[in-house]
């Protein structure tokens, strides 16, 4: 066929050695001296060095190869040779080289500042590091979906614009909604609860929004939120599901993508240890432990970065903290029947101080209890009437949880900052590009 292009990955696997190939892609790196130009080409499957010799190609081919910029788009024809000195161990001896679009000199070179790289994120996403990270993220999301599909969960689409805050007023993003006011959703949970009546096992994977006032390495203003909700599940079953899901995605990545993990900065052996069950601790015991370790944390509020670090620094598996005080957590969590003032909830904290991956709970499923809690929290019932209805008709015990995809990616790939777990990070001081 006239226009059949080989994949660079096939060259690197040794499948095309000695063969004539056609490649197309972008210039990753280049240098030339005298009668020889080396152009390293990237095609989305890998990179390979092409050697363009002046006396082996046409005058135009050699001129093109000598004048390309990093990121110019190119086509190459040539023969594949094994060459230990070339990156990846193979080289293409070019017989023809053409520049499709030369463009301008690429602005990103070594030693650019973080701010510059964030301003040119649309171009920086072509870097090998971010390419590998986004590929790993794609696999991680794939295995999460696979986990829930195998268990016959149904995925459904929640609204993004809503009147119903789910996680407290302080981080809500208000938007103008025609002549009214609404919010960008903080969580699809309340809507997931609608669906368990027709399909007892459901999940959502959609963006959530939080106007987080703090600049941290763990908070985004816009993040992807995976939220399963299960009819007939008590909180124990809920925690077990969280453990099994986390184990599943870690083991799949280790088994199928060890090299990619390594490339991203995570030793596969470390994730191989992530097997259920995980250590568990009540909130009160966690507070005691923190105080014993010398922290001034008094309790009665959610953990911050220092507390999370101290609790998880030495661990090789996530830690489940359960039974938080009612007033620390959201209105919809069911009080522990045997321990008033504490709720049937848990956070799942990543090892190594990477922070909270999951928040989950058994939901209040009785009408009177829900109305009482909403009153205590001073919620405007009229914005939640539909949610209250769910407790009037056919309510059942149920539980669910929310997992922050970028938090999971940050931990699994051992990233320093959550912004590198998403292509276009939205944080307090940045909404460009
Ligand atoms: O603990 P959160 O606030 O819980 C909820 O939203 C529940 N309604 C979820 C549910 O039960 N369906 O958020 C859940 C998770 C956190 O554990 C964290 O991983 C992530 O969402 N998250 C964030 N990720 C990035 N940036 C932020 N600002 C985040 N806030 C929460
Ligand atoms: Mg939380």
């Amino acid at each position: 066929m006239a226009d059949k292009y080989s994949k660079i990955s096939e060259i690197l696997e040794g499948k095309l050695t000695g063969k004539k190939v056609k490649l197309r892609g972008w210039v990753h790196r280049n240098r030339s001296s005298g009668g020889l130009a080396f152009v390293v080409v990237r095609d989305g499957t890998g990179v390979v060095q092409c050697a363009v010799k002046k006396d082996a190609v046409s005058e135009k081919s050699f001129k093109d190869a000598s004048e390309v910029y990093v990121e110019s788009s190119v086509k190459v024809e040539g023969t594949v040779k094994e060459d230990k000195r070339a990156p990846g161990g193979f080289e293409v001896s070019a017989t023809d080289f053409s520049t499709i679009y030369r463009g301008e000199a690429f602005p990103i070179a070594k030693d650019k500042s973080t701010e510059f790289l964030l301003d040119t994120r649309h171009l920086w996403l072509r870097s090998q590091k971010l390419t590998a990270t986004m590929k790993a993220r794609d696999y991680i999301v794939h295995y999460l979906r696979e986990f829930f599909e195998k268990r016959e969960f149904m995925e459904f689409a929640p609204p993004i614009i809503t009147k119903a805050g789910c996680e407290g007023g302080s981080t809500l993003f208000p938007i103008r909604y025609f002549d009214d006011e609404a919010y960008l959703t903080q969580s699809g949970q309340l809507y997931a609860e609608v669906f368990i009546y027709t399909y007892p096992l459901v999940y959502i994977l959609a963006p959530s929004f939080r106007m987080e006032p703090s600049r941290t390495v763990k908070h985004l203003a816009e993040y992807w939120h995976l939220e399963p909700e299960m009819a007939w599940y008590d909180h124990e079953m809920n925690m077990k599901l969280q453990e099994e899901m986390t184990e599943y995605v870690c083991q799949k990545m280790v088994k199928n993508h060890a090299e990619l993990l390594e490339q991203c900065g995570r030793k596969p052996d470390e994730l191989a240890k992530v097997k259920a069950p995980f250590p568990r601790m009540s909130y009160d015991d966690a507070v005691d432990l923190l105080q014993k370790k010398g922290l001034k944390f008094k309790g009665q509020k959610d953990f911050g970065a220092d507390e999370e670090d101290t609790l998880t620094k030495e661990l090789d598996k996530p830690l489940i903290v359960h039974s938080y005080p009612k007033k620390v957590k959201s209105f919809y969590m069911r009080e522990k029947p045997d321990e008033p003032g504490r709720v049937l909830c848990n956070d799942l904290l990543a090892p190594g101080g990477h922070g909270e991956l999951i928040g989950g709970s058994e939901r209040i499923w009785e009408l009177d209890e829900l109305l009482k809690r909403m009153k205590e929290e001073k919620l405007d019932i009229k914005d939640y009437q539909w949610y209250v209805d769910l407790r009037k008709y056919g309510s059942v015990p149920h539980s669910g949880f929310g997992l922050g995809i970028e938090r999971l990616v940050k931990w699994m790939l051992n990233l320093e900052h959550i912004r590198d777990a998403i292509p276009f990070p939205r944080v307090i001081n940045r909404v460009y590009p």
Side-chain angles (χ1 to χ4, degrees), residues 11-196:
I11 296 178
L12 301 176
E13 286 159 17
K15 288 179 183 164
L16 299 174
T17 312
K19 301 232 164 74
K20 271 205 80 106
V21 294
K22 285 185 178 184
L23 302 176
R24 59 181 169 188
W26 297 265
V27 175
H28 178 63
R29 252 197 326 264
N30 64 312
R31 67 190 157 93
S32 54
S33 62
L36 185 58
F38 287 110
V39 183
V40 178
V41 175
R42 178 189 84 232
D43 74 344
T45 71
V47 298
V48 72
Q49 174 165 293
C50 302
V52 189
K53 281 203 189 102
K54 191 170 185 175
D55 53 15
V57 296
S58 69
E59 210 171 298
K60 173 164 184 312
S61 283
F62 189 71
K63 187 172 186 305
D64 274 12
S66 310
E67 292 180 352
V68 284
Y69 288 126
V70 166
E71 292 301 319
S72 296
S73 52
V74 298
K75 289 186 180 176
V76 192
E77 284 182 43
T79 309
V80 178
K81 293 188 313 187
E82 237 185 293
D83 187 335
K84 295 271 174 294
R85 291 162 307 173
F90 293 88
E91 186 176 83
V92 175
S93 299
T95 51
D96 194 63
F97 186 101
S98 55
T99 300
I100 304 305
Y101 194 82
R102 183 169 176 241
E104 300 179 21
F106 199 59
I108 301 178
K110 276 208 175 79
D111 305 324
K112 291 288 184 186
S113 72
T114 305
E115 279 308 298
F116 180 85
L117 293 175
L118 286 167
D119 284 338
T120 51
R121 185 75 167 188
H122 51 298
L123 302 174
W124 182 233
L125 281 164
R126 301 182 196 182
S127 67
Q128 283 191 305
K129 174 85 192 189
L130 281 179
T131 305
T133 310
M134 294 311 148
K135 195 165 164 188
R137 177 191 164 118
D138 177 50
Y139 288 131
I140 289 169
V141 171
H142 165 81
Y143 291 126
L144 289 169
R145 280 215 160 90
E146 187 176 82
F147 175 85
F148 288 105
E149 272 164 25
K150 277 189 179 166
R151 287 166 188 244
E152 301 186 356
F153 277 64
M154 184 184 80
E155 182 180 356
F156 83 96
I160 299 298
I161 299 173
T162 181
K163 282 283 213 182
C166 186
E167 300 301 324
S170 66
T171 64
L172 278 169
F173 265 105
I175 57 164
R176 184 159 59 86
Y177 191 73
F178 302 95
D179 292 331
D180 196 358
E181 198 183 57
Y183 306 104
L184 295 177
T185 190
Q186 290 171 311
S187 159
Q189 175 200 321
L190 306 184
Y191 294 94
E193 290 184 56
V194 171
F195 268 84
I196 58 164

Side-chain angles (χ1 to χ4, degrees), residues 168-322:
S170 66
T171 64
L172 278 169
F173 265 105
I175 57 164
R176 184 159 59 86
Y177 191 73
F178 302 95
D179 292 331
D180 196 358
E181 198 183 57
Y183 306 104
L184 295 177
T185 190
Q186 290 171 311
S187 159
Q189 175 200 321
L190 306 184
Y191 294 94
E193 290 184 56
V194 171
F195 268 84
I196 58 164
Y197 297 84
T198 44
Y199 208 92
L201 304 175
V202 297
Y203 76 96
I204 299 167
L205 180 53
S208 280
F209 303 85
R210 308 274 169 114
M211 199 183 281
E212 300 278 358
S214 48
R215 239 187 251 200
T216 79
V217 296
K218 297 178 197 169
H219 289 90
L220 293 165
E222 174 182 280
Y223 71 97
W224 283 76
H225 205 173
L226 178 88
E227 298 186 275
E229 193 70 31
M230 299 78 66
W232 311 111
Y233 267 51
D234 64 19
H235 191 51
E236 179 56 37
M237 295 160 81
N238 188 20
M239 290 191 285
K240 194 151 173 280
L241 188 70
Q242 296 167 35
E243 290 175 326
E244 287 168 358
M245 176 199 74
T246 310
E247 170 179 328
Y248 186 87
V249 63
C250 288
Q251 297 303 326
K252 282 284 179 180
M253 286 302 286
V254 170
K255 184 159 172 269
N256 300 334
H257 308 288
E259 206 179 310
L260 184 61
L261 286 173
E262 198 91 64
Q263 219 179 322
C264 292
R266 168 62 76 193
K267 293 198 183 84
D269 289 355
E270 293 166 343
L271 290 189
K273 292 181 190 145
V274 180
K275 290 199 170 148
F278 300 159
R280 295 183 185 184
M281 191 184 281
S282 72
Y283 175 86
D284 290 344
D285 287 345
V287 173
D288 283 348
L289 184 72
L290 290 168
Q291 290 172 351
K292 272 200 201 104
K293 294 203 174 201
L295 269 77
K296 292 210 168 62
F297 189 75
K298 291 205 184 66
Q300 299 304 315
K301 59 175 189 167
D302 228 335
F303 300 130
D306 286 348
E307 290 80 33
E308 287 175 356
D309 278 2
T310 308
L311 289 171
T312 65
K313 226 173 11 203
E314 309 292 329
L315 300 180
D316 49 19
K317 288 185 194 188
L319 170 70
I320 288 181
V321 182
H322 56 82

Side-chain angles (χ1 to χ4, degrees), residues 163-170 172 183 186 189-190 329-333 364 369-388:
K163 282 283 213 182
C166 186
E167 300 301 324
S170 66
L172 278 169
Y183 306 104
Q186 290 171 311
Q189 175 200 321
L190 306 184
K329 292 292 184 184
S330 292
F331 72 95
Y332 50 73
M333 296 186 181
I364 295 176
E369 199 184 334
L370 182 66
L371 291 174
K372 192 170 136 244
R373 278 292 286 144
M374 291 179 78
K375 221 163 146 188
E376 279 169 17
E377 295 292 323
K378 300 192 172 57
L379 293 172
D380 189 347
I381 300 278
K382 83 174 184 320
D383 291 335
Y384 296 84
Q385 197 55 59
W386 62 270
Y387 185 69
V388 171

Side-chain angles (χ1 to χ4, degrees), residues 140-141 144 245-246 249-250 356-357 403-414 418 421:
I140 289 169
V141 171
L144 289 169
M245 176 199 74
T246 310
V249 63
C250 288
E356 179 194 322
L357 301 180
L403 162 76
I405 296 293
E406 291 77 14
R407 292 269 180 95
L408 179 72
V409 170
K410 176 184 185 293
W411 162 55
M412 287 185 67
L413 306 184
N414 201 21
I418 195 167

